[in-house]
Amino acid sequence: MSEIRINILKAELNEQALLRGLAQNDSQAVEALYKSHFPVIQHFVENNNGSFDDARDIFQEAMIALYEKVQLDSFVLTCQIKTYLFSICKHLWLKRLQQMGKYSNPLSSEEESVSVQEDLEVMEKKDAAFAIMDRALNSLGEPCKSLLEGYYLNKKGMQELANQFGYTNADNAKNQKYKCLMRLKKLFFTQYNIGD
Amino acid sequence: MEDIQLLEAIEKYLSGEMSAQERSNFEALRKKTSEIDQMVVEHTLFLQQIEWYAQRKNFNQQSQNTFNKLLAEGEWTANDEQSTQFKIIQLWSKYKKVTAIAASVGGFIALFTSFLVMYLSPSLNGTQLMQLSKAVEVIKKNQQVQGHILNDVKTKIPENAKLISGGSGFLIDIKGFIITNAHVLKGNSAIVINSKGQELKANIVYADITSDIALLEIKDEDFKQPKSIPYTIRKKISDLGEEIFTLGYPRNDNDIVYGKGYLSALTGFNGDSGTYQIQIGANPGNSGAPIFNNQAELIGIISTRQRQTEGVAFAVKASKIIDVIESLKEKESTKDIAIKLPKSSVISNSARKAQLDRIKDYMYSIRSFN
């Protein structure tokens, strides 16, 4: 095998490793992705009417898209990470510019991009569901909100939560959790339509 | 209570916590009772949603922390430095041409502009009202720069001109017509500066001291006509208490400044029906700045403020702009000027940040000189 070929293979393996790391919330992988890909996006956004903060927000959204994509069993990435992140960012930024009512003649950049339309649609649906859940959780009030967050977000056990919230035993905490969950469900489903 | 027990059973079932016996019992129940079957499906979906929510929320946090950590470690240039850098580049490109010439010629003049005390117009009710224009004094100094680089910082203001006054203004016609206060234009010539710091030459077309409205026309080959103007002019009178905002150039560094307030009276100083009284933090240099309502309709122009009372200012009503433009048609010298006022506001429902972002490109800082 030629040296070039080996290097390509190494790069591919490296990308695969990064994506596996990302799927498992590995902090080194996340950091590596930021380090190697954020500057390109920063450059792109700042050269197209945006600020450093805009670049940060856009890149964060693209990272979420990639993160949620690698979670899927059906996950395949048909291009380089760099190209994928850039394509997502480009679309998101274009959309943001349009929302702000700025003229957006073809955005200037020499970066390669791929079609990410499908992924963006999936993302939009998830964004909507996320917002509904967020609103529902925030309108629950305490202790429901913290109790459910403790259980579902921070993956704490019922006993630990009982101690934290001062319930006399895990069963009581559990009972409370179910009551809260029912309220959350109701709030969520009044806005979220199955089959939509 | 029953519902809770059912929910508990479903959760146990879905998380695989049931014993084999419990499980087969539950599955039999599911088959028999369609409501329960539906609840299981619904709850599966719901748990999936919570899981996605949790995943995203946690990852979002992780991702933000990573970003902040790298930022703190100096991996990237932070926001502030970024904007300073940007400004320097802007200044550089603004003066690049001149500097290049200067470097070869070897001439150097550094222009210092300092904004001194506010100008007090004698025609005004001097003790109580204060016009908000900037009085400007230009000091020209020859400055020997040590070393090899010689700078010539020049503006479009002619070399021997004396800056007299300044303020703010805004575009009302894409062809380059700008409205400001008449008292902003105390000199006989003017230049305007856009939000990007670019200077443009302008003619004073008309100035009406009574209504304190003036019209400028940009006459500069560097001026790029916009396709449209995002705000409209409100002809009707506005409502008491209406929320308002403004964008102007009160600061010496010519940075655009946003201000927010409300309409506090439908008449101005001493019951003047041509102006509104507004509650807003207005400073010298705000003169000529537009007042918008929440729908980004232009309702007035800031002109004066009460001396003693901080925050109280007066704004010429927008209907006066329309009057002035109508009156131009009747005058021999100005009858050929056809001004097309913007018809629709495309940002009436936008969030404030988006409105400002859009409006700022149509706001000008104005300098008047002799």
Side-chain angles (χ1 to χ4, degrees):
Chain A
M1 229 188 289
S2 74
E3 202 179 313
I4 296 168
R5 183 95 188 86
I6 290 170
N7 282 338
I8 291 173
L9 213 62
K10 267 188 191 162
E12 275 174 14
L13 280 173
N14 189 27
E15 293 238 308
Q16 291 302 326
L18 272 177
L19 291 173
R20 265 201 309 279
L22 176 65
Q24 291 153 11
N25 293 58
D26 177 74
S27 59
Q28 281 184 351
V30 177
E31 204 174 305
L33 286 168
Y34 260 100
K35 269 188 179 168
S36 42
H37 303 301
F38 178 69
V40 178
I41 306 306
Q42 184 193 352
H43 182 78
F44 167 73
V45 172
E46 284 179 352
N47 277 314
N48 287 286
N49 263 327
S51 66
F52 183 76
D53 287 345
D54 292 326
R56 180 198 60 204
D57 295 348
I58 289 284
F59 190 73
Q60 173 115 351
E61 280 184 57
M63 282 290 283
I64 289 172
L66 184 63
Y67 172 76
E68 288 180 351
K69 197 174 162 74
V70 295
Q71 301 295 326
L72 301 174
D73 297 331
S74 59
F75 168 71
V76 266
L77 194 62
T78 49
C79 61
Q80 282 187 304
I81 296 177
K82 174 182 147 187
T83 314
Y84 183 78
L85 287 173
F86 179 75
S87 307
I88 297 272
C89 286
K90 189 175 155 184
H91 275 87
L92 291 175
W93 184 236
L94 190 72
K95 205 173 136 193
R96 188 82 47 98
L97 280 176
Q98 280 164 351
Q99 281 167 349
M100 291 191 296
K102 285 189 181 166
Y103 300 115
S104 45
N105 34 350
L107 295 178
S108 70
S109 169
E110 284 135 32
E111 296 295 324
E112 187 191 345
S113 66
V114 290
S115 170
V116 283
Q117 207 48 48
E118 260 177 58
D119 287 17
L120 287 168
E121 278 164 24
V122 172
M123 216 177 140
E124 259 174 39
K125 275 187 192 151
K126 284 197 171 170
D127 284 351
F130 183 87
I132 294 171
M133 189 65 84
D134 206 48
R135 273 200 300 274
L137 253 174
N138 283 315
S139 52
L140 273 183
E142 297 295 353
C144 273
K145 181 175 181 270
S146 299
L147 191 61
L148 292 179
E149 279 182 350
Y151 187 79
Y152 289 103
L153 265 69
N154 307 326
K155 317 279 182 207
K156 288 183 182 167
M158 247 23 260
Q159 187 56 54
E160 196 186 343
L161 288 170
N163 296 343
Q164 185 189 328
F165 286 87
Y167 294 102
T168 44
N169 57 55
D171 273 347
N172 284 348
K174 207 170 178 177
N175 212 2
Q176 180 66 48
K177 189 209 97 181
Y178 282 122
K179 279 187 195 164
C180 295
L181 191 63
M182 282 181 55
R183 281 182 53 211
L184 179 68
K185 234 175 125 169
K186 211 170 170 183
L187 283 167
F188 179 80
F189 279 114
T190 48
Q191 290 194 47
Y192 185 91
N193 296 315
I194 305 171
D196 229 21
Chain B
M1 210 54 198
E2 259 178 27
D3 282 346
I4 286 182
Q5 277 158 357
L6 188 60
L7 191 63
E8 190 174 356
I10 294 173
E11 281 225 321
K12 264 177 121 178
Y13 170 71
L14 288 174
S15 61
E17 281 170 50
M18 281 182 167
S19 67
Q21 183 61 41
E22 280 176 316
R23 195 171 178 81
S24 68
N25 285 349
F26 188 81
E27 273 170 357
L29 186 71
R30 238 187 111 174
K31 270 187 194 132
K32 212 168 61 192
T33 331
S34 70
E35 285 89 349
I36 289 178
D37 199 34
Q38 265 174 26
M39 275 183 79
V40 173
V41 172
E42 191 196 73
H43 201 68
T44 311
L45 176 86
F46 183 70
L47 288 180
Q48 171 83 82
Q49 289 293 341
I50 289 200
E51 184 53 31
W52 275 340
Y53 176 83
Q55 268 188 2
R56 182 183 280 204
K57 194 136 183 161
N58 288 333
F59 180 72
N60 209 358
Q61 195 56 55
Q62 183 185 8
S63 163
Q64 260 174 38
N65 292 345
T66 307
F67 180 89
N68 291 337
K69 176 175 169 258
L70 291 173
L71 188 67
E73 285 169 5
E75 186 74 23
W76 306 299
T77 327
N79 208 2
D80 298 348
E81 287 144 83
Q82 202 67 39
S83 52
T84 336
Q85 213 175 33
F86 183 58
K87 242 184 240 161
I88 291 164
I89 292 166
Q90 269 192 349
L91 276 174
W92 166 246
S93 53
K94 191 162 126 189
Y95 296 127
K96 176 159 70 179
K97 231 192 254 167
V98 192
T99 314
I101 299 164
S104 60
V105 175
F108 45 82
I109 300 168
L111 189 75
F112 290 98
T113 55
S114 65
F115 302 89
L116 299 179
V117 284
M118 291 129 271
Y119 184 89
L120 197 70
S121 162
S123 67
L124 218 68
N125 191 334
T127 49
Q128 293 176 69
L129 285 184
M130 186 166 100
Q131 290 180 331
L132 298 173
S133 61
K134 287 188 278 204
V136 187
E137 196 192 65
V138 185
I139 305 157
K140 281 187 202 148
K141 257 190 188 173
N142 287 347
Q143 187 190 352
Q144 185 91 43
V145 182
Q146 280 198 343
H148 45 282
I149 303 168
L150 298 168
N151 281 322
D152 183 3
V153 182
K154 241 184 181 175
T155 72
K156 284 182 178 172
I157 302 170
E159 227 176 80
N160 296 315
K162 192 175 177 211
L163 279 169
I164 306 284
S165 57
S168 307
F170 53 92
L171 209 65
I172 51 145
D173 183 324
I174 53 163
K175 292 192 290 294
F177 288 101
I178 291 174
I179 290 279
T180 182
N181 281 148
H183 79 259
V184 164
L185 304 169
K186 292 197 174 98
N188 54 26
S189 312
I191 58 145
V192 298
I193 305 161
N194 67 18
S195 63
K196 295 188 183 74
Q198 186 189 25
E199 291 189 349
L200 300 162
K201 286 181 228 155
N203 288 344
I204 301 174
V205 177
Y206 179 77
D208 180 9
I209 294 158
T210 330
S211 65
D212 202 13
I213 287 178
L215 184 70
L216 288 167
E217 184 181 11
I218 300 175
K219 283 281 184 200
D220 196 313
E221 52 186 51
D222 292 341
F223 174 60
K224 287 198 190 78
Q225 270 198 22
K227 289 201 182 96
S228 62
I229 291 173
Y231 44 82
T232 49
I233 297 172
R234 187 180 163 90
K235 296 186 181 108
K236 285 185 206 145
I237 205 97
S238 290
D239 297 323
L240 192 66
E242 193 162 10
E243 276 185 33
I244 54 168
F245 70 94
T246 185
L247 274 176
Y249 297 90
R251 282 168 45 177
N252 291 350
D253 59 7
N254 220 39
D255 265 358
I256 199 157
V257 176
Y258 166 67
K260 203 177 108 173
Y262 58 86
L263 203 70
S264 48
L266 297 180
T267 55
F269 188 67
N270 284 345
D272 175 13
S273 66
T275 52
Y276 292 120
Q277 183 185 315
I278 54 176
Q279 197 73 24
I280 203 161
N283 295 304
N286 263 130
S287 254
I291 295 284
F292 294 104
N293 64 15
N294 280 341
Q295 286 75 46
E297 292 174 313
L298 198 138
I299 65 162
I301 312 159
I302 297 189
S303 74
T304 47
R305 90 168 180 221
Q306 210 159 355
R307 279 198 166 266
Q308 309 306 327
T309 331
E310 200 57 49
V312 173
F314 299 101
V316 179
K317 288 177 182 169
S319 57
K320 290 278 165 195
I321 300 177
I322 293 159
D323 293 349
V324 162
I325 286 165
E326 284 303 314
S327 73
L328 293 179
K329 289 178 189 160
E330 291 155 22
K331 291 187 182 70
E332 189 55 40
S333 58
T334 52
K335 70 175 172 25
D336 294 332
I337 299 169
I339 289 181
K340 262 186 158 165
L341 294 174
K343 287 225 160 49
S344 61
S345 166
V346 290
I347 48 169
S348 56
N349 295 318
S350 306
R352 179 58 40 85
K353 262 177 81 178
Q355 287 178 335
L356 296 180
D357 221 309
R358 196 66 205 281
I359 292 173
K360 73 170 184 350
D361 293 337
Y362 303 85
M363 301 295 117
Y364 290 84
S365 174
I366 291 163
R367 304 281 159 81
S368 181
F369 56 88
N370 280 328

